[in-house]
Amino acid sequence: MRLVEIRLLDGPNVYRLEPTVKVEVTVGRRRTWYGARQPERYNVIRLGARVGPARAPRPVAELAGWVRRLHRRALGRTVPVAIHRTSEPGHWIVAFPWREGERAETLARAALRLADGPHNGGVSFKRAVRRIREAESTPPEWITDEQRRVPIVSISGTNGKSTTTRLISHLLREAGRSVGTTTSDGVIIDGQLVEEGDLTGPMGAQRVLGDSKVDVAVLETARGGIVLRGVGYQSNEAAVLTNVSSDHLDLHGLHTLPELAEVKSVIARITRADGTVVLNADDPLVAEVRRQVKADVCYFSLRPTSRRVRAHLARGGRALLLEDGFVLEAQGARKKRLLPVAEVPSTLGGVALHNVANALAAAGAALALGVTREEVAAGLRSFHASAEHTPGRLNLHRSGRRLVIVDFAHNEAGVAVLFDMAEAILGLRGSRQGTLTAIVGTAGDRPDDTLRGIGRIAAQRADEVAIKETLRYLRGRSRASVIGEFRAGLRQGGLRRAALAVPVYEDEPSAVRAELTTAGRLAATDEGTPRVVLLMCHVDRLGVERVLTELGFAPVADVAELQELRR
């Protein structure tokens, strides 16, 4: 048995909804994970499911036993100790709750040495007990319900969580609330960025919850924070899960989509019984989370006649739906229209279906927190897909019949959605009434199949493709490896030899400048057919905006401007 790590999780996590010690060990020979990202139901490993000692390797069962015995003798209490499987071959987890940090870690290390038997270096049970008692006793860094004074809505998912978070905050502010928000851009208090950085973990949550001006917290909650530290608070009043698709896989022992969904579902599992969990009914992995929660479930869906939605409404459940061109709230057999989807600017007249889904999710969360239907409708009407409201998310810039779409898309699902929207805006499907260029690139810690998948989609759906590097986020990969995987995907998508001729740019501003001035067909004048560039932008959004301004592009202020592209 070999130790992988001892990690103290300060809050709710996949193993327990409280501070937890995670002891990860390996048993047997080292092997590499391989398998399906979406395995068959009978092959799904539930990370949080407990494994009986009889079904675990003997060293792991003995480790769990020593943890129990040390707790009883050294700390005078009995704690639940659980064994969990992982999808990593030979990896096992022993998890138990903790109150005192240094004592918990000392106990875990002593249990490992005692379980190692003759190879424990002479550590005795009595000596281990003494060391545990002598250790410091720092408490976990989380905010309990007794310490919390404001309601919380938590948002997670693979795509759309930042936009949904900002939209919920906007709806609440328009309804007169003082709102504290965490996003991947930073902490925002009443619309003002007060701390910059990716603060979608416990640190950002604690910053918002500790602000005396805030009367409601809207907290984007990312996978990384949940896995590495746990959620930074005990419970919430509402939770939103947008969707689950391939992203951040092969990191921290997560390899499959069901595992990713299980991690993100923690925010729904901690929702209070008198609260609301808002789930995407069109995503089977998200919809199934309803079985794990104690709160009421509100579905949102672009397919109001689906079997899942109809069954939910038949049980008297609530849902936010897109039906006959309207955003509406349904409960049981009753339906109430909020507004036409064409009047929601962030949906670009209803063609940006991913933002329609985000709007439905945000409306469900706002209604759960007491915002009226009229206030929700007014807030949806005043929220735009712009650098002001959604920086880096679906920001459109136009010059004549040329359009540049800047978006944070960083995985296959996000890129596919961008193509769907561009084709809908420009009427490109079938008739191909314009030219489409994709500038692709993302962080190096994505698996090979994700990088290739992005390249394949771009090759299949764009007229021209360019690669932009993301040098700040290579995260252990070489530049050549990232570019090579993208080119492999381009070949899979049909470019074949042409994949080697695809231009590569070192950064996002230079990629946009080149594609709009000196490269390819998009360097042409504004005359002729519509032309669009899709940019996956992750590092230098402001630099890209400066280039576009210099080249005469202006932000799209009204959806009517998009109609001019096709005239």
Side-chain angles (χ1 to χ4, degrees), residues 118 195 202 271 342:
E195 191 169 341
T271 303

Side-chain angles (χ1 to χ4, degrees), residues 111-181:
L112 279 162
R113 287 193 290 269
L114 289 165
D116 203 25
H119 309 289
N120 66 17
V123 175
S124 71
F125 184 72
K126 288 184 178 180
R127 186 183 303 171
V129 168
R130 185 174 69 251
R131 288 179 178 175
I132 295 166
R133 289 173 175 171
E134 291 172 352
E136 298 293 327
S137 57
T138 304
E141 295 182 1
W142 72 325
I143 296 176
T144 64
D145 287 346
E146 290 75 18
Q147 297 168 324
R148 179 162 65 91
R149 60 175 187 81
V150 301
I152 294 173
V153 54
S154 310
I155 303 94
S156 195
T158 301
N159 295 315
K161 57 183 179 292
S162 291
T163 298
T164 303
T165 297
R166 288 178 177 271
L167 181 47
I168 293 170
S169 297
H170 179 80
L171 297 179
L172 291 166
R173 287 190 66 215
E174 292 294 290
R177 309 285 185 88
S178 178
V179 184
T181 308

Side-chain angles (χ1 to χ4, degrees), residues 10-12 141-144 201-203 205-206 209 229-234:
D10 288 280
E141 295 182 1
W142 72 325
I143 296 176
T144 64
M203 186 182 301
Q206 290 162 11
L209 294 172
R229 287 197 56 193
V231 179
Y233 42 91
Q234 186 174 358

Side-chain angles (χ1 to χ4, degrees), residues 409-420 440 454 457-458 461 534 536:
H410 53 284
N411 51 46
E412 296 157 272
V415 172
V417 160
L418 280 185
F419 277 108
D420 289 343
V440 301
I454 292 171
I457 293 168
R461 301 185 66 174
L534 303 179
M536 298 173 66

Side-chain angles (χ1 to χ4, degrees), residues 241-503:
L241 281 180
T242 57
N243 48 64
V244 174
S245 61
S246 181
D247 195 25
H248 294 108
L249 295 177
D250 297 344
L251 295 174
H252 309 122
L254 301 178
H255 298 288
T256 69
L257 295 181
E259 291 170 351
L260 194 59
E262 189 176 357
V263 170
K264 293 177 182 294
S265 72
V266 172
I267 65 162
R269 292 169 57 207
I270 64 172
T271 303
R272 297 165 61 95
D274 57 353
T276 301
V277 173
V278 182
L279 301 176
N280 185 351
D282 301 336
D283 186 320
L285 287 173
V286 173
E288 283 300 301
V289 171
R290 70 178 180 84
R291 300 180 185 276
Q292 305 172 36
V293 304
K294 55 183 180 289
D296 286 340
V297 169
C298 173
Y299 276 147
F300 67 95
S301 175
L302 303 179
R303 301 197 287 269
T305 60
S306 71
R307 179 184 299 179
R308 183 175 290 117
V309 170
R310 287 187 284 110
H312 180 66
L313 294 177
R315 295 190 295 266
R318 269 197 331 122
L320 271 295
L321 306 172
L322 174 65
E323 185 173 277
D324 297 329
F326 282 84
V327 174
L328 61 84
E329 179 189 20
Q331 182 160 20
R334 300 190 303 275
K335 295 182 179 179
K336 180 70 175 181
R337 288 180 171 179
L338 274 65
L339 76 168
V341 71
E343 295 180 10
V344 183
S346 63
T347 71
L348 305 181
V351 300
L353 290 178
H354 65 296
N355 268 357
V356 176
N358 294 337
L360 296 173
L367 291 168
L369 291 178
V371 180
T372 67
R373 296 187 185 94
E374 292 74 21
E375 289 170 334
V376 167
L380 291 176
R381 286 189 176 99
S382 59
F383 185 84
H384 295 260
S386 64
E388 177 188 359
H389 286 160
T390 57
R393 273 75 177 177
L394 196 58
N395 296 166
L396 276 60
H397 303 261
R398 174 175 165 261
S399 174
R401 304 193 75 188
R402 296 186 297 174
L403 179 72
V404 177
I405 302 174
V406 180
D407 193 88
F408 194 73
H410 53 284
N411 51 46
E412 296 157 272
V415 172
V417 160
L418 280 185
F419 277 108
D420 289 343
M421 188 202 61
E423 292 175 349
I425 290 174
L426 301 178
L428 297 180
R429 282 193 185 277
S431 58
R432 304 300 294 175
Q433 297 173 8
T435 306
L436 193 55
T437 288
I439 305 175
V440 301
T442 191
D445 58 356
R446 269 50 177 182
D448 293 351
D449 55 339
T450 293
L451 300 181
R452 293 184 182 193
I454 292 171
R456 183 179 63 254
I457 293 168
Q460 291 169 341
R461 301 185 66 174
D463 297 298
E464 297 179 340
V465 180
I467 298 172
K468 61 92 181 177
E469 297 189 84
T470 313
L471 300 181
R472 187 187 301 176
Y473 300 119
L474 285 174
R475 293 169 175 165
R477 270 192 193 262
S478 68
R479 297 170 67 178
S481 172
V482 174
I483 295 169
E485 295 301 339
F486 276 125
R487 283 190 166 141
L490 295 174
R491 287 193 293 272
Q492 291 174 358
L495 286 188
R496 303 194 183 282
R497 290 184 181 179
L500 296 176
V502 165

Side-chain angles (χ1 to χ4, degrees), residues 166 181-197 199 207 391 541:
R166 288 178 177 271
T181 308
T182 61
T183 71
S184 53
D185 291 323
V187 170
I188 303 167
I189 305 295
D190 279 340
Q192 299 299 314
L193 184 67
V194 298
E195 191 169 341
E196 194 170 353
L199 291 166
R207 170 68 174 83
R541 183 178 70 241

